[in-house]
Amino acid sequence: MSGRGPSNYMHIGHLVIFEFVKWLQDELDAEVYIPLSDDEKYVFGKVKSLKQAYVYAIDNALDLIALGFKKGKTFFFVSTRLSEIYELSVTLSRYLTFNTVRATFGLEGEGVNSGVVFYAAVQAAHILLPTAKKGLLVLVPIAMDQDPYMRLTRDIALKAGFRKPAAIYSKYISGLTREPMSASKPETSVFLIDNEEEVRKKIWSAFTGGRPTIEEQRKLGGNPDICVVYEWLKVFVFKDLKNMNEHAYKCRSGELLCGECKRMLADALIKRLAKHKARKRQALRVIDHFFLHEVEIPSEIIKILE
Amino acid sequence: MSGRGPSNYMHIGHLVIFEFVKWLQDELDAEVYIPLSDDEKYVFGKVKSLKQAYVYAIDNALDLIALGFKKGKTFFFVSTRLSEIYELSVTLSRYLTFNTVRATFGLEGEGVNSGVVFYAAVQAAHILLPTAKKGLLVLVPIAMDQDPYMRLTRDIALKAGFRKPAAIYSKYISGLTREPMSASKPETSVFLIDNEEEVRKKIWSAFTGGRPTIEEQRKLGGNPDICVVYEWLKVFVFKDLKNMNEHAYKCRSGELLCGECKRMLADALIKRLAKHKARKRQALRVIDHFFLHEVEIPSEIIKILE
């Protein structure tokens, strides 16, 4: 299982971990659970209302279904809409003191709201739902920053008599500006709803390992080790190591100019996004089969997909 | 609305506040919401599991439906089974800090579990559900010990943009031993599932205002002011003030012996419980119409009602 906090539209970096999850599903014929934590984003103040988070949750779910997860083996749910989640959270909350939550997350003082305190139990419930429901062992591909939750959950699982879940951590991909990708800084990543022009513009402004002038680039070569465009090409475009190494060699030798790499990346991403959008439209027709509760499609989503 | 914490079978004292709620429904043609807080009883450690609380919740609901609440105007729910409750609790939790919860309830230190902290928001959600769902104004007939929750809820309501709920507090009825009635001390009250023999035995051991001997009673009279049997007769048997005053006069004058009052009370309660049990059996057939979610009847309940 792997979750998504629906506080915004998704960018291309978000897909990477779920592509890995899909790969695991294909390899292991595993069931996949994908909680959409509207409650998390709301109690931490990342969205104004649960309603707003719900719109993102459905949008994000469509993006993920578009990756090709198996129907009947993949189960999405919006955290506040599945009463089993609250029930399991309550069960687990007895094994989780305020003190532990505060120490684990370094919450500031006691002005923290009660939803934040309880959310630690809710996230544990997300992770342990497949175990509680069907006795399944759980593997959680997860971003490194979610590690405190994993540790808490493993402790709680033991106390509550469940098998401990396992985690597998993903590396972050650099943002285009070399800061971390962030939904609140659109220039750091390519969003799945960006149009062609936006993609080109963002890639064009990306941080590279290139020289200030063409002459210097030809003479001294570029530095792919610090180049975000090269990093993105590795993640999103190149199929194998040979490909990657050849490209890096050409860069270092001065054969490639940054513009060429940027065009290559932008073209590939634009193609990918177009394909993604088509698949997302198809996902709209099957979304009901992927959810553990009833789903209404917000009108905003229909508009985006027109 | 008025709630019930399902940590045990109900005793006759529990019914009093709900008889008042039913009277309000009849007088005002009002909708009545009755949350059954399985989560509360579990996080505070009053039941071993949510499953155990669920059994009591259904049993208790049948007792309340048996009072004659109107179908289509009375809405029961088990707190962990109605996803709207968790959703509303999350919404409200942002207006409720850990600090406030701790100060209000005098929680001991920070070893308190995260479920207890969040439960303050959940109880607020129980109270505000009719307002959030239908814009209704809420009146809460409630036992005095629930006052801190009411005050919190009124504060939260204001911050969250809801109309404040109003409360009306009930007096406690003395337990048979003159301690407060308590489910954990069976001798303090008459349970709705007690059989005839148990009722007679409990009433026979009740605290009275009588004299040590018949001679003294005849000569000096009894003291109804401190007599639990007299208090119970007032609540459960006498129809009007005249009745009450005449009875008190006869007691004081030495005309009545405690045994007579006890027999009178026991007979009335036994009759009442038999009638109640019959109505509870009927309630079993209509319970679905009274719940906001699906209900399964635990086998324990069927057994009790056979």
Side-chain angles (χ1 to χ4, degrees):
Chain A
M1 82 117 242
S2 194
R4 158 78 190 149
S7 58
N8 212 320
Y9 295 109
M10 286 171 84
H11 57 64
I12 200 155
H14 290 130
L15 293 187
V16 176
I17 205 160
F18 288 99
E19 282 171 334
F20 175 62
V21 173
K22 185 197 165 323
W23 179 82
L24 286 172
Q25 179 172 67
D26 291 343
E27 290 296 311
L28 307 170
D29 195 32
E31 291 192 1
V32 172
Y33 286 77
I34 303 183
L36 302 154
S37 50
D38 60 335
D39 37 13
E40 174 188 16
K41 292 305 172 182
Y42 174 78
V43 297
F44 283 96
K46 304 290 183 193
V47 289
K48 272 185 206 156
S49 65
L50 286 172
K51 209 178 151 197
Q52 192 190 6
Y54 181 79
V55 175
Y56 291 129
I58 299 304
D59 172 81
N60 297 175
L62 289 168
D63 282 323
L64 298 176
I65 293 168
L67 295 181
F69 283 104
K70 285 184 198 158
K71 199 158 72 176
K73 288 232 152 203
T74 311
F75 308 103
F76 287 81
F77 57 91
V78 178
S79 186
T80 62
R81 304 269 173 137
L82 190 68
S83 66
E84 283 167 281
I85 283 299
Y86 176 54
E87 197 179 333
L88 184 55
S89 306
V90 170
T91 301
L92 300 176
S93 72
R94 228 159 88 169
Y95 305 102
L96 185 63
T97 64
F98 170 72
N99 229 5
T100 307
V101 176
R102 182 159 73 163
T104 310
F105 299 104
L107 301 175
E108 302 158 26
E110 290 154 13
V112 57
N113 77 52
S114 52
V116 166
V117 177
F118 190 67
Y119 185 69
V122 176
Q123 182 127 331
H126 292 164
I127 295 170
L128 294 171
L129 184 71
T131 310
K133 215 177 153 90
K134 302 189 178 171
L136 296 171
L137 275 177
V138 174
L139 173 67
V140 192
I142 204 167
M144 205 55 218
D145 65 332
Q146 299 292 306
D147 179 57
Y149 279 119
M150 271 314 296
R151 288 173 187 273
L152 267 195
T153 303
R154 285 168 58 82
D155 281 354
I156 297 170
L158 204 67
K159 289 181 193 159
F162 291 117
R163 294 283 298 272
K164 284 188 191 178
I168 186 164
Y169 296 104
S170 74
K171 235 175 80 174
Y172 276 106
I173 301 158
S174 305
L176 290 171
T177 55
R178 246 200 149 190
E179 302 160 277
M181 290 192 216
S182 162
S184 58
K185 295 180 180 171
E187 69 279 14
T188 59
S189 191
V190 167
F191 283 76
L192 299 174
I193 56 165
D194 282 351
N195 62 33
E196 192 171 329
E197 193 190 344
E198 284 164 327
V199 175
R200 289 209 189 278
K201 210 175 130 196
K202 285 178 178 181
I203 303 294
W204 219 252
S205 314
F207 182 92
T208 71
R211 303 286 169 179
T213 65
I214 296 183
E215 288 67 37
E216 286 178 75
Q217 177 85 359
R218 291 290 185 212
K219 199 170 134 199
L220 303 167
N223 180 3
D225 296 339
I226 60 162
C227 177
V228 175
V229 174
Y230 179 66
E231 187 182 342
W232 278 47
L233 284 170
K234 282 198 291 184
V235 175
F236 298 113
V237 179
F238 298 146
K239 296 285 177 230
D240 54 37
L241 265 174
K242 192 168 161 268
N243 223 209
M244 287 179 205
N245 291 338
E246 279 176 9
H247 197 88
Y249 178 82
K250 283 190 199 165
C251 171
R252 282 188 225 279
S253 70
E255 191 183 330
L256 279 172
L257 296 180
C258 290
E260 295 173 75
C261 290
K262 285 174 174 174
R263 198 169 310 115
M264 185 178 178
L265 178 60
D267 287 348
L269 292 181
I270 286 162
K271 213 169 127 188
R272 193 189 181 104
L273 291 190
K275 207 183 279 179
H276 180 81
K277 196 170 175 182
R279 288 204 190 116
K280 190 172 177 180
R281 258 191 225 110
Q282 289 167 356
L284 198 55
R285 285 200 294 272
V286 294
I287 187 169
D288 287 342
H289 302 290
F290 283 89
F291 266 79
L292 288 173
H293 53 77
E294 282 183 33
V295 182
E296 326 90 55
I297 310 293
S299 56
E300 296 93 316
I301 306 287
I302 312 274
K303 220 172 288 166
I304 289 167
L305 290 177
E306 263 164 11
Chain B
M1 83 116 240
S2 194
R4 159 80 190 147
S7 58
N8 213 319
Y9 296 109
M10 286 171 85
H11 56 64
I12 200 156
H14 290 130
L15 293 187
V16 176
I17 206 161
F18 287 99
E19 282 171 335
F20 175 62
V21 173
K22 185 197 164 323
W23 179 83
L24 286 172
Q25 179 172 67
D26 290 343
E27 289 295 311
L28 307 170
D29 195 32
E31 291 193 1
V32 171
Y33 287 76
I34 303 183
L36 301 154
S37 50
D38 59 335
D39 37 12
E40 175 188 17
K41 292 305 172 181
Y42 174 77
V43 297
F44 283 96
K46 304 290 182 193
V47 290
K48 271 185 205 157
S49 65
L50 286 172
K51 210 178 150 197
Q52 192 190 5
Y54 181 78
V55 175
Y56 291 129
I58 299 304
D59 172 81
N60 298 174
L62 289 168
D63 282 323
L64 298 177
I65 293 168
L67 295 181
F69 283 104
K70 285 185 197 157
K71 199 158 73 176
K73 288 232 152 201
T74 311
F75 308 103
F76 288 80
F77 56 92
V78 178
S79 186
T80 62
R81 304 269 173 136
L82 190 68
S83 66
E84 284 168 281
I85 283 299
Y86 176 54
E87 197 179 333
L88 184 55
S89 306
V90 170
T91 301
L92 300 176
S93 72
R94 229 160 86 170
Y95 305 102
L96 184 63
T97 64
F98 169 72
N99 229 3
T100 307
V101 176
R102 182 159 73 162
T104 310
F105 299 103
L107 301 175
E108 302 158 25
E110 290 154 13
V112 57
N113 77 53
S114 51
V116 166
V117 177
F118 190 66
Y119 185 70
V122 176
Q123 181 128 332
H126 292 164
I127 294 170
L128 293 171
L129 184 71
T131 310
K133 214 177 154 91
K134 301 189 178 171
L136 297 172
L137 275 177
V138 174
L139 172 67
V140 193
I142 204 168
M144 204 56 218
D145 64 332
Q146 299 292 306
D147 179 57
Y149 280 119
M150 271 314 297
R151 289 174 186 272
L152 267 194
T153 303
R154 285 168 57 82
D155 281 354
I156 297 169
L158 204 68
K159 288 182 192 157
F162 291 116
R163 294 283 297 274
K164 284 188 192 178
I168 185 164
Y169 296 104
S170 73
K171 235 175 80 174
Y172 277 107
I173 302 158
S174 305
L176 291 171
T177 55
R178 247 200 148 189
E179 302 160 278
M181 289 191 217
S182 161
S184 57
K185 295 180 180 170
E187 69 279 14
T188 59
S189 191
V190 167
F191 283 76
L192 299 175
I193 56 164
D194 282 351
N195 62 33
E196 193 172 328
E197 193 190 344
E198 284 164 328
V199 176
R200 290 209 188 278
K201 210 175 130 195
K202 284 178 178 181
I203 302 295
W204 219 253
S205 314
F207 181 92
T208 71
R211 303 287 168 179
T213 65
I214 296 184
E215 287 68 36
E216 286 178 76
Q217 177 85 0
R218 292 291 185 212
K219 198 170 135 198
L220 303 167
N223 180 4
D225 296 340
I226 59 163
C227 177
V228 174
V229 174
Y230 180 66
E231 187 182 342
W232 279 47
L233 284 169
K234 282 198 291 185
V235 174
F236 298 113
V237 179
F238 298 145
K239 295 286 177 228
D240 53 37
L241 265 175
K242 193 168 160 265
N243 223 209
M244 287 178 205
N245 291 338
E246 279 176 8
H247 198 87
Y249 178 81
K250 282 190 200 166
C251 171
R252 281 188 226 279
S253 70
E255 191 183 331
L256 279 172
L257 296 180
C258 291
E260 295 172 75
C261 290
K262 284 174 175 173
R263 198 169 309 117
M264 185 178 177
L265 178 60
D267 288 347
L269 291 180
I270 286 163
K271 214 168 127 188
R272 193 189 181 106
L273 290 190
K275 207 183 278 178
H276 180 81
K277 197 170 175 183
R279 287 204 192 116
K280 190 172 177 181
R281 259 191 223 108
Q282 290 168 356
L284 198 56
R285 286 200 294 271
V286 294
I287 187 169
D288 287 343
H289 301 291
F290 283 89
F291 266 79
L292 289 172
H293 53 76
E294 281 183 35
V295 182
E296 326 91 54
I297 310 293
S299 56
E300 295 93 315
I301 306 288
I302 313 275
K303 219 171 290 167
I304 288 168
L305 290 177
E306 263 165 10

